mmCIF file of all heavy atoms in Angstrom:
data_model
loop_
_atom_site.group_PDB
_atom_site.id
_atom_site.type_symbol
_atom_site.label_atom_id
_atom_site.label_comp_id
_atom_site.label_asym_id
_atom_site.label_seq_id
_atom_site.Cartn_x
_atom_site.Cartn_y
_atom_site.Cartn_z
ATOM 1 N N ILE A 102 0.839 -1.016 -1.686
ATOM 2 C CA ILE A 102 0.324 -1.508 -0.395
ATOM 3 C C ILE A 102 1.497 -1.346 0.573
ATOM 4 O O ILE A 102 2.545 -2.070 0.414
ATOM 5 C CB ILE A 102 -0.153 -2.989 -0.539
ATOM 6 C CG1 ILE A 102 -1.260 -3.118 -1.532
ATOM 7 C CG2 ILE A 102 -0.644 -3.433 0.869
ATOM 8 C CD1 ILE A 102 -1.821 -4.520 -1.805
ATOM 9 N N VAL A 103 1.350 -0.490 1.531
ATOM 10 C CA VAL A 103 2.482 -0.274 2.504
ATOM 11 C C VAL A 103 2.170 -0.946 3.796
ATOM 12 O O VAL A 103 1.178 -0.572 4.507
ATOM 13 C CB VAL A 103 2.694 1.217 2.646
ATOM 14 C CG1 VAL A 103 3.899 1.474 3.546
ATOM 15 C CG2 VAL A 103 2.809 1.959 1.326
ATOM 16 N N ILE A 104 3.003 -1.899 4.143
ATOM 17 C CA ILE A 104 2.821 -2.638 5.412
ATOM 18 C C ILE A 104 3.616 -1.819 6.514
ATOM 19 O O ILE A 104 4.837 -1.886 6.515
ATOM 20 C CB ILE A 104 3.241 -4.085 5.337
ATOM 21 C CG1 ILE A 104 2.582 -4.807 4.158
ATOM 22 C CG2 ILE A 104 3.072 -4.802 6.689
ATOM 23 C CD1 ILE A 104 0.992 -4.921 4.313
ATOM 24 N N ASP A 105 2.851 -1.147 7.353
ATOM 25 C CA ASP A 105 3.537 -0.339 8.393
ATOM 26 C C ASP A 105 3.281 -0.979 9.738
ATOM 27 O O ASP A 105 2.404 -1.765 9.865
ATOM 28 C CB ASP A 105 2.923 1.070 8.397
ATOM 29 C CG ASP A 105 3.953 2.105 7.978
ATOM 30 O OD1 ASP A 105 5.016 1.968 8.479
ATOM 31 O OD2 ASP A 105 3.628 3.008 7.224
ATOM 32 N N ALA A 106 4.068 -0.552 10.748
ATOM 33 C CA ALA A 106 3.824 -1.080 12.060
ATOM 34 C C ALA A 106 2.478 -0.600 12.609
ATOM 35 O O ALA A 106 2.127 0.544 12.426
ATOM 36 C CB ALA A 106 4.996 -0.569 12.996
ATOM 37 N N PRO A 107 1.795 -1.469 13.374
ATOM 38 C CA PRO A 107 0.451 -1.124 13.922
ATOM 39 C C PRO A 107 0.537 0.168 14.815
ATOM 40 O O PRO A 107 -0.479 0.840 14.848
ATOM 41 C CB PRO A 107 0.046 -2.347 14.711
ATOM 42 C CG PRO A 107 1.080 -3.345 14.558
ATOM 43 C CD PRO A 107 2.162 -2.794 13.732
ATOM 44 N N ARG A 108 1.630 0.360 15.528
ATOM 45 C CA ARG A 108 1.684 1.566 16.397
ATOM 46 C C ARG A 108 1.671 2.849 15.532
ATOM 47 O O ARG A 108 1.307 3.851 16.059
ATOM 48 C CB ARG A 108 2.930 1.544 17.245
ATOM 49 C CG ARG A 108 4.230 1.668 16.515
ATOM 50 C CD ARG A 108 5.391 1.906 17.455
ATOM 51 N NE ARG A 108 6.512 2.219 16.630
ATOM 52 C CZ ARG A 108 7.364 1.362 16.058
ATOM 53 N NH1 ARG A 108 7.163 0.034 16.277
ATOM 54 N NH2 ARG A 108 8.366 1.687 15.261
ATOM 55 N N ASP A 109 2.006 2.818 14.240
ATOM 56 C CA ASP A 109 1.966 3.968 13.427
ATOM 57 C C ASP A 109 0.689 4.129 12.649
ATOM 58 O O ASP A 109 0.251 5.258 12.473
ATOM 59 C CB ASP A 109 3.193 3.880 12.357
ATOM 60 C CG ASP A 109 4.515 3.865 13.140
ATOM 61 O OD1 ASP A 109 4.598 4.593 14.142
ATOM 62 O OD2 ASP A 109 5.429 3.177 12.673
ATOM 63 N N ILE A 110 0.047 3.024 12.205
ATOM 64 C CA ILE A 110 -1.129 3.145 11.365
ATOM 65 C C ILE A 110 -2.357 2.551 12.062
ATOM 66 O O ILE A 110 -3.449 2.688 11.531
ATOM 67 C CB ILE A 110 -0.952 2.556 9.980
ATOM 68 C CG1 ILE A 110 -0.522 1.036 10.118
ATOM 69 C CG2 ILE A 110 0.062 3.304 9.163
ATOM 70 C CD1 ILE A 110 -0.511 0.312 8.811
ATOM 71 N N GLY A 111 -2.159 1.936 13.198
ATOM 72 C CA GLY A 111 -3.325 1.252 13.837
ATOM 73 C C GLY A 111 -3.580 -0.087 13.322
ATOM 74 O O GLY A 111 -3.327 -0.427 12.141
ATOM 75 N N ILE A 112 -4.092 -0.982 14.232
ATOM 76 C CA ILE A 112 -4.311 -2.381 13.846
ATOM 77 C C ILE A 112 -5.322 -2.521 12.699
ATOM 78 O O ILE A 112 -5.170 -3.319 11.791
ATOM 79 C CB ILE A 112 -4.817 -3.134 15.089
ATOM 80 C CG1 ILE A 112 -3.656 -3.533 15.992
ATOM 81 C CG2 ILE A 112 -5.640 -4.378 14.762
ATOM 82 C CD1 ILE A 112 -2.918 -4.772 15.504
ATOM 83 N N LYS A 113 -6.459 -1.664 12.769
ATOM 84 C CA LYS A 113 -7.506 -1.755 11.814
ATOM 85 C C LYS A 113 -6.960 -1.490 10.363
ATOM 86 O O LYS A 113 -7.236 -2.221 9.439
ATOM 87 C CB LYS A 113 -8.587 -0.719 12.131
ATOM 88 C CG LYS A 113 -9.920 -1.205 11.642
ATOM 89 C CD LYS A 113 -11.048 -0.296 12.167
ATOM 90 C CE LYS A 113 -12.174 -0.385 11.188
ATOM 91 N NZ LYS A 113 -12.982 0.787 11.119
#
Side-chain angles (χ1 to χ4, degrees):
I102 302 177
V103 185
I104 306 296
D105 244 318
R108 67 169 188 274
D109 296 324
I110 55 170
I112 278 281
K113 207 173 157 210

